[in-house]
Structures are given as C-alpha cells and as structure tokens.
Amino acid sequence: MKYIDEFRNGEVARGLAKAIAAEVEPGRAYRLMEFCGGHTHAISRYGLEDLLPDGIRMIHGPGCPVCVLPIGRIDAALWLAAQPGVTLCSYGDMLRVPGSERRSLLKAKAAGADIRMVQSTQDALALAQKRPDRQVVFFAIGFETTTPPSAVALKQAQALGLANFSMFSNHVLTPPAIAHILDSDETVKLDGFVGPAHVSTVIGSRPYEGAAAHYNKPVVIAGFEPLDVLQAVLMLVRQVNQGRAEVENEFARAVTRDGNLKAQALVAEVFELRPWFEWRGLGRVADSALAIRPEFAAFDAERRWPVPDISVADNPACDCGAILRGLKRPVECRLFGTVCTPDNPMGSCMVSAEGACAAHWTYGRFREGETR
Ligand code: SF4
C-alpha cells in the first residue's frame, strides 16, 4: 500500500538502526521526546526502542489529547451532561476517562444521562438537527488537527441558525506546550524533539522555529510510520552531534513550512487564544488553548451555561502527570498492569491508544523486561 508498506520495511529499518548506532557518540546521552501520542504508539507497536543504541532514550510527551485534559474539565463535562435537556456528544475515548471520584461520562450515561459517542462533529450537528427538543453539546477536544472540523461545525451551526447546538471547547496548542516543557524546571531535560505529524500538516513547520532557536533544541517533524520515526531519530542525533538546533521536516510528503493556510484562517475566524489553560501534568500553560470567539458566542457552551471552572488534583496513586512531564515511564507506576489496565483505567494515559500507558500495555514489550 502506497506510503504504508514502504515505511514499514524491516530491512530498511535495520539499515537506519545501523546508521543511528554508527553516529551516536559513545558515552553521550540523547534524550529525545516524541511529543505526539501517535509516535508513542508507533514506538511501542513496532518495538523501535529495541533497535536503538543504549545512549538514546525516547521520552513520551504530552501529545495525546485525551491524556492531557485535566480532571476539572472532565468534571465540567459531567456537569454539562447533568443539565436539564442536554445531550452531550464526544469521541469514544473521552467517555472512559475518569473524573473526580472515578466518575466518567460512560458511568454517567449508564446512570441515565443522555451522552452519545460520535465519530465527528458532523454527527453532533446532525443530531441537533434531528432533535430540536434537546440541547446538543459537543465536547470538543484535541490539538490543531481536530480544531478545523470544530470551526467548520460552528460555522455550519451559525449558517443553519441551530439554536440547540453548542460546543464545549477544549482545543489545545502544540508549540506553547513544547516551549513550556523546555522552560519548566519540573519537566525532563531534553536534547531534541520528534515533532508531530498530523498537527504539522495544519500549522506547518514554521511555528516550532522560535522554540528551537530560543532553547537551542532541534526539532524534527516526523510521520507516524516506523521508518519515519527512525529517520527522525537519525536526523536529531546528527543535529545534536553537530551542535545545531534547527527545525527539520522528515514528513515532507505531507508537511510544508506554512501548513494549511485555509484551515488556519478558518480556525482564526472562529477561535481565539485563552490566556491560559490547565494541562494534566503540565499545570497552567499560557496561551496554550482556544476559546470560541464572541462572534460565535451563541454556540459556546461556556457562555450558555455557568460551567464550573475548577481545578482538581490528580489521583495521587496515578503517575500520569509525571509521565506527561517525561519524568516517569508507565512501568514505574505501581498501578500499571495490576489495578490499572485499558479495561479498568485509573488515569487518562491508560485510555486512549495514543496514551503512553495504554501503548506500553497493549504491545506488552515491558513483559520481556523493560530496561529503558
Ligand atoms: S498505569 Fe494507570 S494509574 Fe499508572 S500512570 Fe498510567 S494511567 Fe495512571
């Protein structure tokens, strides 16, 4: 299959692994964060760490949208779902993330709340058109990849005059999170980033240039196939060895420097920056999320209802926060694989396939004795 089989070729992977091993300087540590959950998933699925020399450590980043949403926002969604006449719609993974006291949208649905799993914003819009007697609220999450469809839905709702549709926006932004990780004393120290694939198709490679130069850390944007990730590691090792801190684009088959200008314009028309947003693990991050612009206020769930703005501490037994800061690995959580599994997730990192804990558990590589 074009662009799939070629990027999963074992022989080429072994060749790339050899090239990486040849370029790694003995005794030097290369701490590389793959920001995106898609890369975390690929690394676990294809066992890429087994191909890398000891000096390279892949560190999972906070680029899984389900994982980074804090408990307070899940509680807010539960509050919305409990309002009279409301039908709350969201993606399947979001329904399973535990909120306070291990409540979840799925449990609220079982208890009688009208909560629907949808595949897209269009499903939620269609439901609002079909059920004028219900207030349909779309619980929107995601990075820059899923924001354009949300913008389209809000424009459609406005054009249709859909008075019973609104959105609870939890869209977050990648570059401010990368800058925050590099700036914070409470996150892991890094030598470079594997930059997101899908996000970068929308925003392009340019938005990473400021952080790369300011913090003197290389970024290589990479696709989600195993050879993409290995090639990106090779490019990062070369940059580190040569003392360069540039933004390079391994995923040139889909990403340009400027990205998708049409999608960016659409998002800018409908959304505006929040002064700050709370991320699980990272805490409050300035200018890191999007709110709905006043022009679309009629479709903003946070203006339609007095949605509680609460900050809730994480479950102290769950190490998701430390994992999202790159300070721990899933196997270092004492609940991993015992109390906490994908069937019974205790934290958000065990819910989505892109979550570090779920990826480690699903592909079972820790069972062979994880060393890194
Ligand atoms: S294994 Fe479960 S409890 Fe532990 S950090 Fe991951 S999600 Fe949290």
Side-chain angles (χ1 to χ4, degrees):
M1 195 186 298
K2 187 87 175 142
Y3 294 138
I4 298 287
D5 295 341
E6 310 92 307
F7 288 89
R8 296 180 184 176
N9 183 305
E11 206 174 311
V12 180
R14 280 187 286 277
L16 275 169
K18 252 186 174 171
I20 293 167
E23 299 210 19
V24 160
E25 293 177 2
R28 185 167 194 168
Y30 300 79
R31 296 156 301 183
L32 308 178
M33 175 175 275
E34 84 276 3
F35 183 87
C36 202
H39 290 131
T40 302
H41 183 260
I43 288 166
S44 289
R45 179 174 178 186
Y46 297 103
L48 299 185
E49 285 185 304
D50 297 345
L51 295 173
L52 297 176
D54 285 344
I56 297 181
R57 183 173 162 217
M58 300 306 296
I59 297 165
H60 313 313
C64 153
V66 171
C67 304
V68 295
L69 206 63
I71 289 177
R73 298 298 281 187
I74 294 157
D75 285 358
L78 283 160
W79 182 90
L80 271 169
Q83 300 314 298
V86 164
T87 296
L88 188 97
C89 301
S90 196
Y91 302 124
D93 283 344
M94 229 28 256
L95 305 193
R96 300 175 54 229
V97 180
S100 291
E101 296 159 8
R102 302 220 52 232
R103 294 179 308 146
S104 68
L105 289 167
L106 208 56
K107 285 180 182 168
K109 180 178 170 68
D114 189 356
I115 296 171
R116 315 278 179 104
M117 188 185 89
V118 293
Q119 304 289 343
S120 73
T121 52
Q122 294 303 307
D123 290 348
L125 268 182
L127 184 65
Q129 287 174 280
K130 203 166 133 196
R131 292 295 306 269
D133 57 318
R134 303 289 299 173
Q135 281 291 333
V136 175
V137 181
F138 181 68
F139 181 17
I141 64 149
F143 286 87
E144 292 90 334
T145 327
T146 48
T147 313
S150 289
V152 169
L154 287 169
K155 287 197 68 160
Q156 285 175 307
Q158 191 179 60
L160 291 166
L162 261 185
N164 66 326
F165 177 83
S166 61
M167 189 174 290
F168 178 39
S169 172
N170 293 273
H171 285 299
V172 287
L173 302 171
T174 306
I178 288 181
H180 179 88
I181 290 166
L182 291 171
D183 222 12
S184 171
D185 292 334
E186 293 174 2
T187 53
V188 70
K189 297 297 158 237
L190 297 169
D191 298 295
F193 275 95
V194 177
H198 294 166
V199 160
S200 305
T201 63
V202 176
I203 66 172
S205 62
R206 193 191 292 271
Y208 309 105
E209 291 172 3
H214 182 77
Y215 297 101
N216 198 33
K217 302 291 176 195
V219 177
V220 175
I221 294 159
F224 287 142
E225 294 302 326
L227 297 193
D228 289 316
V229 179
L230 289 172
Q231 178 65 34
V233 169
L234 179 60
M235 292 163 78
L236 283 169
V237 167
R238 278 185 186 152
Q239 284 210 48
V240 172
N241 288 350
Q242 294 166 7
R244 290 186 290 124
E246 297 165 15
V247 177
E248 293 183 314
N249 182 12
E250 183 280 335
F251 197 33
R253 61 191 187 279
V255 172
T256 62
R257 187 162 181 238
D258 288 325
N260 184 333
L261 296 176
K262 198 171 170 187
Q264 290 168 28
L266 187 64
V267 168
E269 184 187 341
V270 176
F271 291 100
E272 63 184 8
L273 271 184
R274 291 180 191 269
W276 60 269
F277 192 75
E278 185 181 340
W279 293 53
R280 192 187 296 245
L282 303 186
R284 284 181 167 213
V285 182
D287 299 332
S288 67
L290 297 173
I292 296 169
R293 281 192 181 280
E295 294 88 322
F296 294 85
F299 307 98
D300 185 349
E302 288 179 275
R303 294 176 200 252
R304 195 174 284 194
W305 288 274
V307 180
D309 182 10
I310 36 177
S311 185
V312 182
D314 282 337
N315 174 351
C318 167
D319 281 333
C320 267
I323 289 168
L324 292 165
R325 288 195 297 280
L327 297 175
K328 281 195 172 182
R329 298 181 66 80
V331 289
E332 292 174 283
C333 171
R334 63 183 190 279
L335 303 188
F336 177 80
T338 53
V339 176
C340 182
T341 64
D343 288 336
N344 182 39
M346 302 297 287
S348 59
C349 303
M350 191 56 99
V351 173
S352 160
E354 294 189 358
C357 298
H360 274 242
W361 174 258
T362 303
Y363 296 106
R365 300 196 185 275
F366 61 93
R367 295 189 186 103
E368 290 144 28
E370 180 164 311
T371 54
R372 292 185 290 175

